[in-house]
Amino acid sequence: MIEIKNVSKTFLSEGKILEAVKDVSLHIKPKEVFGIIGFSGAGKSTLVRCINLLERPSHGSIIVDGQDITSLSPKELHKARKNIGMIFQHFNLMKSRNVFQNIAYPLKGRGQNKNEIKEKVNALLKLVELEDKAKAYPSQLSGGQKQRVAIARALATDPKVLLCDEATSALDPQTTLSILKLLKQVNKQLGITIVIITHEMAVIKEVCNRVAVMENGKIAEEGEVFQVFSSPRQEVTKGFIDTTSVLHKIYDLIETSSPVVQLKPGEKILKLKYLEKKASEALISIISRDFNIDCNIIFGSIEIIGDAPLGGLVIIVSGKSGDIEDAINYLESKNVEVEVLDID
């Protein structure tokens, strides 16, 4: 659906050349939800604006639905952009128009009569669950409602692609989840390819099929969400994982000799990390029972990504040294990464 081929984007700032995007290539499949994540200044927003040529690449090409849009004339590009909807962090609604008028605005000049426009807008209002807000103005709406209007407006021209540039960054966590749920519904119900730009790993985990991690204008790594976040190769990806996982806090507890991690003779601290999508067995119960060891869970961070557990546990195990080693070998045979953090 979307091919980004060797795209670079440079800006001239105060006499200096700034490389915002550096030789990026990506393939985004039809009907998938693809995430691009990066810390501030990584170049992700510039990259997504290159997809619909709000920013024209300095080098490289953008192919959307088989059409190289970087080679189009202004008239052809205007037509092609109707297949690419976009929503932004700050909604970009017209304050002087009500909800109905905001959604209907992209339909002007498309040869539709008033009844056809009314039918289309009402269907979109139903989709985004704002049927009772048709006559309300943006100032009368909450942040989540404004973003729902923005989504409806972006869908008015029946696009094949929806670009979301930090679309949930201005929203509280509960509202963010409701917007992500709506985007998943849009993707499933309408079959639209969605590209999500964010600095929040929780957003990627919640809604995306695949993800690319950006740093300094380049793609650091990419792949299925579970794969990338269960086995990160780059430090920037590990940094994102640390922002949402409590597992790394165990190192601080050990360094400060917290009473929580004070060990008795024969005890070890183990950090367990799931590496396998099908890791659904009751592994703690199994090793406790089959290897005659006691397991005390200190804390854990486990989420379900798709249908698979992502995350891990920190546990204190006690028992005979040989039994503990056998239990560790068993866990590793089940594709669980085991790190021995401290030994009494």
Side-chain angles (χ1 to χ4, degrees), residues 22-73:
K22 306 173 186 177
D23 195 31
V24 168
S25 294
L26 283 174
H27 172 66
I28 299 171
K29 301 174 185 178
K31 300 182 181 181
E32 78 171 333
V33 183
F34 190 92
I36 301 176
I37 190 170
F39 290 113
S40 179
K44 56 190 185 298
S45 288
T46 300
L47 178 61
V48 78
R49 290 169 67 87
C50 285
I51 293 177
N52 61 359
L53 264 61
L54 287 180
E55 295 287 354
R56 182 169 285 275
S58 304
H59 302 283
S61 58
I62 304 288
I63 299 170
V64 180
D65 197 25
Q67 186 176 40
D68 184 354
I69 64 171
T70 51
S71 66
L72 299 180
S73 67

Side-chain angles (χ1 to χ4, degrees), residues 42-265:
K44 56 190 185 298
S45 288
T46 300
L47 178 61
V48 78
R49 290 169 67 87
C50 285
I51 293 177
N52 61 359
L53 264 61
L54 287 180
E55 295 287 354
R56 182 169 285 275
S58 304
H59 302 283
S61 58
I62 304 288
I63 299 170
V64 180
D65 197 25
Q67 186 176 40
D68 184 354
I69 64 171
T70 51
S71 66
L72 299 180
S73 67
K75 184 178 180 180
E76 292 170 330
L77 178 59
H78 178 73
K79 182 179 179 180
R81 278 185 175 145
K82 294 177 182 179
N83 286 323
I84 308 173
M86 190 165 188
I87 58 175
F88 304 86
Q89 178 179 356
H90 296 298
F91 323 123
N92 288 12
L93 301 180
M94 292 175 283
K95 297 178 182 179
S96 61
R97 298 174 186 261
N98 64 28
V99 167
F100 186 98
Q101 292 166 334
N102 265 281
I103 297 171
Y105 186 76
L107 299 174
K108 283 192 169 186
R110 289 173 63 90
Q112 294 176 292
N113 61 44
K114 288 184 178 180
N115 286 335
E116 290 172 330
I117 291 175
K118 183 178 179 180
E119 184 178 345
K120 179 68 174 180
V121 173
N122 285 338
L124 289 169
L125 284 168
K126 183 177 181 180
L127 176 66
V128 300
E129 300 179 349
L130 289 178
E131 294 162 282
D132 61 334
K133 299 292 183 182
K135 295 182 179 180
Y137 285 83
S139 62
Q140 299 170 306
L141 303 177
S142 67
Q145 290 170 334
K146 290 176 184 177
Q147 196 58 283
R148 286 173 179 271
V149 176
I151 292 171
R153 182 182 61 185
L155 298 175
T157 58
D158 299 315
K160 296 180 179 180
V161 174
L162 180 62
L163 308 178
C164 308
D165 188 8
E166 297 282 8
T168 60
S169 294
L171 307 176
D172 62 76
Q174 185 175 359
T175 305
T176 291
L177 286 175
S178 72
I179 294 299
L180 295 178
K181 182 180 178 181
L182 174 59
L183 290 175
K184 284 195 284 188
Q185 179 187 348
V186 166
N187 170 253
K188 184 176 181 179
Q189 186 173 323
L190 304 180
I192 293 176
T193 302
I194 298 179
V195 181
I196 293 180
I197 301 298
T198 184
H199 64 275
E200 300 172 285
M201 196 171 90
V203 170
I204 299 294
K205 288 180 178 179
E206 182 66 27
V207 72
C208 296
N209 308 119
R210 294 192 301 130
V211 63
V213 183
M214 285 195 73
E215 183 180 31
N216 297 324
K218 298 181 179 180
I219 302 297
E221 56 185 305
E222 65 171 299
E224 290 187 7
V225 170
F226 185 93
Q227 165 117 27
V228 169
F229 290 133
S230 65
S231 302
R233 301 190 307 271
Q234 304 297 327
E235 288 302 316
V236 62
T237 312
K238 294 175 183 177
F240 276 112
I241 292 171
D242 286 347
T243 64
T244 59
S245 171
V246 299
L247 295 182
H248 69 286
K249 293 182 180 178
I250 186 62
Y251 302 108
D252 294 331
L253 294 176
I254 292 172
E255 185 177 344
T256 58
S257 299
S258 168
V260 175
V261 293
Q262 293 301 307
L263 300 181
K264 299 174 183 176

